[in-house]
């Protein structure tokens, strides 16, 4: 009925989801300087952990935080096995694309083996529905719209206003200099991946709460996250966050006026155009590092 | 008075290549220590081993009464042994202010952060003007100043400077020399590697000539030595 409410809600919801998917990817890129191509698989694994815990009888309020914490551990191990040993290599970025893809495919097949291909669902963050400006929406979606900015803000404050966040931004820029001021390099690498994997798990829980889960559910979100990060500019964590909401609103407007069918094509046209005019991304300055 | 730093029989290298062959130096008793010698004979390697960037293969390093052989760089800096590495590029995407905060990362340096920051600003007024500038956009001389500033933020008991004036123009070199002298006069003992003999003699009175990963000659304070003696060592008698 109400075009404005429809677009506003759709844009905020999609934007929040995209931001949650992309922010972990952006965090690892801006701090460690590699792209984690298992990020989508981590979303999936986080959702499956949550599902398993709920299936064992835990309440969602308990299961979700535990799943997020478990995924922090997975992120740490992933980093220690397929990223950290490669630091210092030439072509690091490409090598890590391959190792994280490999690790991701291993995890994906493990999940398929363990939990089977049948689709599953986890409980929503908040059950129930509401009417908003004449549009029927689920409370789960509203929860996502509310929770996401809080998490993003907390992450931004951590990175830009705390000394540990500063250390995280510094460590990969010069490992010797980092050690000489007393940074624990191993711990910081682990921390970057642990946070990123937790954020991925949260995105997975958001997704699994309103859509059926399968072992390959992370593939599309990874692609979306990559688009968001490249579009927003890979030099900062705030660029992708803004880009996520921009894309969310763009899609909401397109699908309202032109229909769902045309939206992906229009989005890619806009992306290509943007990158032709501003190759470093829409919100980016030229160098890596947070702003 | 005890020596602040004693290195004995230190052997270290990279992979299968041994660079240091049982080297030994003492610092902190007779004033500032200077290391000199031909390029590629292990001065930087020695300093990297002392500050924990490189694990020694044999030998011992004692600092401030504690055996620090094989300790991590993190715990060594926390003891107040601070190293400004050769050609430090620091953190290119961070601002000068960020680098200073990182300098005070070690727990022992936190309580002195504000005072040390003022000290750095007084020592290098040029930096104080551009606190929010990114390191990658600084000139070589300015970057060296930041590098030394970061070390001061770590609240050093003993400061290691590896070629602080390497590749700098005379004017900025003089500025840096003056700053380093000020630091020393304020009571921080130094270990300095420097190719500029003039500066080395002005700053230090206890010299080690390092050749082939060993101390070939030690010149203690009071030993008579002239500029020409050192030049002779450099170029081989
Ligand atoms: N990371 C490294 N890997 C392998 N070999 C190295 C490494 N760093 C230094 N070396 C070698 O160790 C030897 C000693 O180097 P070092 O940097 O300690 O010399 P230096 O006395 O500081 O020289 P300079 O006056 O040029 O700075 C050299 O032969 C050098 O090639
Ligand atoms: Mg050297």
């Amino acid at each position: 009925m109400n075009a404005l409410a429809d677009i506003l809600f759709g844009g905020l919801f999609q934007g929040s989801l995209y931001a949650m998917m992309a922010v972990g990817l952006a965090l690892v890129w801006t701090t460690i300087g590699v792209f984690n191509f298992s990020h989508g698989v981590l979303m999936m694994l986080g959702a499956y952990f949550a599902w398993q815990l709920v299936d064992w009888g835990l309440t969602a309020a308990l299961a979700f935080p535990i799943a997020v914490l478990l995924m922090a551990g997975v992120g740490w191990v992933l980093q220690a096995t397929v990223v950290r040993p490669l630091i210092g290599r030439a072509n690091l970025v490409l090598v890590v694309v391959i190792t994280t893809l490999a690790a991701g495919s291993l995890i994906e097949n493990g999940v398929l083996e363990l939990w089977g291909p049948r689709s599953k669902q986890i409980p929503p963050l908040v059950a129930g529905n509401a009417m908003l400006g004449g549009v029927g929406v689920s409370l789960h979606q509203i929860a996502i719209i509310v929770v996401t900015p809080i998490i993003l803000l907390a992450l931004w404050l951590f990175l830009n206003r705390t000394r540990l966040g500063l250390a995280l931004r510094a460590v990969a820029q010069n490992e010797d200099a980092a050690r000489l001021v007393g940074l624990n390099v191993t711990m910081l690498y682990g921390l970057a991946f642990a946070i990123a994997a937790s954020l991925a798990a949260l995105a997975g829980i958001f997704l699994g709460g309103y859509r059926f889960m399968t072992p390959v559910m992370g593939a599309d979100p990874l692609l979306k996250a990559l688009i968001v990060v490249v579009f927003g500019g890979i030099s900062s964590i705030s660029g992708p966050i803004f880009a996520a909401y921009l894309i969310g609103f763009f899609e909401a407007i397109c699908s309202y006026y032109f229909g769902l069918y045309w939206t992906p094509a229009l989005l890619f046209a806009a992306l290509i155009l943007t990158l032709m005019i501003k190759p470093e991304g829409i919100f980016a300055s030229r160098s890596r590092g947070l702003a | 008075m005890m020596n602040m730093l004693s290195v004995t029989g230190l052997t270290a290298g990279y992979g299968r290549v041994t660079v240091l062959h049982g080297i030994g130096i003492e610092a902190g008793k007779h004033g500032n220590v200077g290391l000199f010698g031909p390029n590629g004979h292990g001065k930087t390697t020695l300093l990297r081993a002392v500050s924990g960037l490189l694990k020694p293969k044999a030998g011992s390093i004692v600092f401030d009464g504690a055996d620090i052989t094989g300790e991590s760089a993190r715990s060594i800096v926390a003891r107040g042994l601070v190293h400004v590495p050769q050609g430090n590029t620091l953190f290119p995407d961070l601002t000068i202010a960020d680098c200073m905060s990182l300098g005070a990362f070690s727990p022992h340096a936190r309580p002195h952060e504000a005072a040390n920051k003022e000290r750095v600003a007084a020592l290098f007024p040029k930096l104080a003007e551009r606190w929010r500038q990114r390191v990658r956009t600084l000139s070589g001389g300015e970057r060296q100043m930041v590098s030394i500033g970061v070390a001061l933020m770590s609240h050093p008991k003993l400061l290691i400077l590896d070629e602080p004036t390497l590749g700098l123009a005379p004017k900025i070199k003089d500025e840096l020399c003056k700053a380093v002298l000020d630091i020393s006069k304020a009571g921080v003992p130094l270990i300095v590697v420097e190719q500029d003999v003039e500066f080395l003699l002005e700053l230090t009175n206890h010299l080690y000539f390092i050749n082939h990963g060993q101390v070939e000659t030690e010149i203690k304070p009071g030993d008579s030595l002239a500029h020409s003696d050192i030049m002779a060592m450099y170029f081989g008698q």
Side-chain angles (χ1 to χ4, degrees):
Chain A
M1 308 302 118
N2 190 332
L4 190 68
D6 214 15
I7 289 172
L8 205 63
F9 181 80
L12 276 176
F13 175 63
Q14 281 303 328
S16 302
L17 266 186
Y18 292 161
M20 263 334 268
M21 291 172 187
V23 71
L25 196 69
L27 175 73
V28 166
W29 169 257
T30 50
T31 55
I32 308 302
V34 296
F35 269 113
N36 174 13
F37 268 69
S38 62
H39 195 69
V41 169
L42 295 179
M43 289 181 217
M44 178 273 292
L45 189 63
Y48 270 81
F49 278 0
W51 177 86
Q52 181 63 75
L53 291 167
V54 170
D55 196 55
W56 280 339
L58 267 66
T59 60
L62 208 57
F64 292 175
I66 293 176
V68 168
L69 278 180
L70 284 174
M71 285 307 295
V74 171
W76 190 292
V77 172
L78 186 78
Q79 166 276 144
T81 47
V82 303
V83 180
R84 183 84 185 114
L86 304 165
I87 299 290
R89 286 269 183 111
N91 295 327
L92 175 71
V93 176
L94 282 177
V95 174
V96 169
V97 166
I98 294 164
T99 58
T100 53
L101 264 178
S105 126
L106 217 66
I107 294 172
E108 200 172 278
N109 285 297
V111 168
L112 190 64
E113 199 60 39
L114 194 64
W115 283 297
R118 270 185 57 189
S119 55
K120 303 180 174 5
Q121 203 161 19
I122 49 180
L125 295 173
V126 186
N129 292 292
M131 287 299 282
L132 208 74
V135 187
V137 297
S138 78
L139 291 178
H140 178 70
Q141 288 175 302
I142 294 191
I144 288 173
I145 290 173
V146 174
V147 170
T148 302
I150 296 171
I151 289 166
L152 297 178
L153 183 68
L155 182 69
W156 190 89
L157 287 174
F158 166 67
L159 284 172
N160 291 286
R161 293 286 180 271
T162 71
R163 208 187 300 256
L164 188 59
L166 177 60
L168 203 56
R169 291 188 284 137
V171 67
Q173 292 184 33
N174 187 341
E175 216 170 285
D176 275 350
R179 292 164 72 193
L180 286 175
V181 293
L183 305 190
N184 187 340
V185 176
T186 317
M187 188 276 280
L188 289 168
Y189 272 86
L191 185 65
F193 272 78
I195 297 175
S198 301
L199 293 166
L202 215 51
I205 289 169
F206 286 1
L207 281 174
Y210 85 109
R211 209 190 262 174
F212 282 108
M213 300 159 39
T214 67
V216 294
M217 69 185 270
D220 188 51
L222 171 67
L223 196 66
K224 273 279 151 55
L226 275 171
I227 292 171
V228 166
V229 170
V230 171
F231 182 61
I234 49 186
S235 72
S236 75
I237 199 115
S238 41
I241 291 173
F242 290 130
Y245 282 98
L246 196 67
I247 292 176
F249 275 101
F250 184 88
E251 286 191 351
I253 293 167
C254 284
S255 59
Y256 189 86
Y257 288 107
F258 306 106
L260 221 46
Y261 183 74
W262 285 103
T263 304
L266 286 169
L267 177 63
F268 274 106
L271 287 180
I272 291 165
L273 207 65
T274 309
L275 292 178
M276 276 164 70
I277 298 165
K278 209 161 180 293
E280 65 273 20
I282 195 160
F283 297 113
S285 55
R286 240 164 251 274
S287 69
R288 193 158 71 79
L290 301 202
Chain B
M1 195 183 131
M2 272 251 307
N3 271 315
M4 203 157 196
L5 179 77
S6 311
V7 176
T8 27
L10 197 73
T11 301
Y14 305 91
R16 290 214 305 276
V17 182
T18 303
V19 175
L20 301 176
H21 305 275
I23 198 168
I25 63 165
E26 309 270 313
K29 188 149 84 178
H30 307 294
N32 296 333
V33 165
L35 308 177
F36 68 106
N39 295 123
H41 282 238
K43 301 179 298 293
T44 297
T45 305
L46 170 62
L47 301 182
R48 287 174 62 84
V50 166
S51 61
L53 288 178
L54 188 69
K55 293 267 173 280
K57 291 173 183 158
S60 86
I61 306 166
V62 174
F63 175 68
D64 212 10
D67 188 343
I68 59 164
T69 320
E71 260 187 26
S72 71
R74 186 162 54 100
S75 47
I76 290 174
V77 72
R79 294 176 180 279
L81 178 49
V82 181
H83 178 185
V84 178
Q86 182 173 346
N88 193 2
T89 52
L90 281 163
F91 308 104
D93 287 324
L94 298 188
T95 64
I96 296 178
D98 286 339
C99 290
M100 295 302 151
S101 310
L102 282 175
F105 193 86
S106 201
H108 84 286
R110 299 268 173 101
H112 311 283
E113 185 172 7
N116 282 336
K117 207 163 179 174
E118 271 174 35
R119 194 169 158 203
V120 173
L123 206 56
F124 302 114
K126 224 181 226 167
L127 298 188
E129 290 164 20
R130 45 185 75 191
W131 226 232
R132 305 236 55 95
Q133 192 174 331
R134 277 177 200 264
V135 168
R136 78 159 68 251
T137 64
L138 297 176
S139 73
E142 289 160 353
R143 189 153 48 230
Q144 193 59 39
M145 289 176 190
V146 177
S147 219
I148 294 173
V150 167
L152 288 179
M153 295 301 293
S154 301
H155 207 65
K157 277 189 203 157
L158 176 66
L159 184 60
I160 296 175
L161 299 170
D162 195 351
E163 311 217 17
T165 70
L166 185 69
L168 301 181
K171 190 167 164 290
I172 198 121
K173 203 164 166 174
D174 287 344
E175 235 174 285
L176 266 173
C177 293
K178 210 185 127 307
V180 171
L181 269 171
D182 280 353
I183 294 170
S184 166
K185 278 186 198 135
V188 181
L190 307 172
I191 298 179
V192 187
V193 175
E194 183 56 57
Q195 304 288 2
D196 183 331
V197 177
E198 218 61 72
F199 177 38
L200 197 67
L201 288 178
E202 189 179 350
L203 197 63
T204 64
N205 55 359
H206 183 183
L207 295 169
Y208 290 95
F209 176 63
I210 291 173
N211 206 2
H212 299 295
Q214 278 167 321
V215 174
E216 194 166 291
T217 315
E218 180 180 0
I219 304 163
K220 289 213 165 113
D223 293 358
S224 69
L225 85 154
H227 192 268
S228 56
D229 296 333
I230 290 180
M231 292 314 259
M233 282 186 214
Y234 258 123
F235 298 112
Q237 276 62 359

